Amino acid sequence: MNYIIAVICTLVAWFVGLLIDANIHLGDPQGFTCLRVLLPILAMGLCILRSINEGKK
């Protein structure tokens, strides 16, 4: 079950980052801030940390 939650959170974070990158106009059409990469990495990292903490309890 934790895998499904991690995948869904990562996909949602990627989509949110994509929307933010598309709507911030900083002159670079490829997305200057690369939030579509950063947010999924952070989401997956948080899911992994949560899973590790649940395993220690």
Side-chain angles (χ1 to χ4, degrees):
M1 189 67 173
N2 287 335
Y3 295 116
I4 295 171
I5 294 171
V7 169
I8 291 171
C9 288
T10 303
L11 288 174
V12 168
W14 175 80
F15 187 71
V16 169
L18 181 67
L19 288 175
I20 294 171
D21 274 346
N23 291 318
I24 293 177
H25 300 289
L26 295 175
D28 186 12
Q30 299 298 322
F32 179 72
T33 56
C34 291
L35 292 175
R36 66 181 165 261
V37 175
L38 177 65
L39 293 180
I41 291 172
L42 291 175
M44 184 57 77
L46 290 174
C47 288
I48 291 170
L49 287 174
R50 186 174 130 217
S51 177
I52 290 171
N53 283 338
E54 285 178 0
K56 288 184 178 179
K57 290 181 180 179

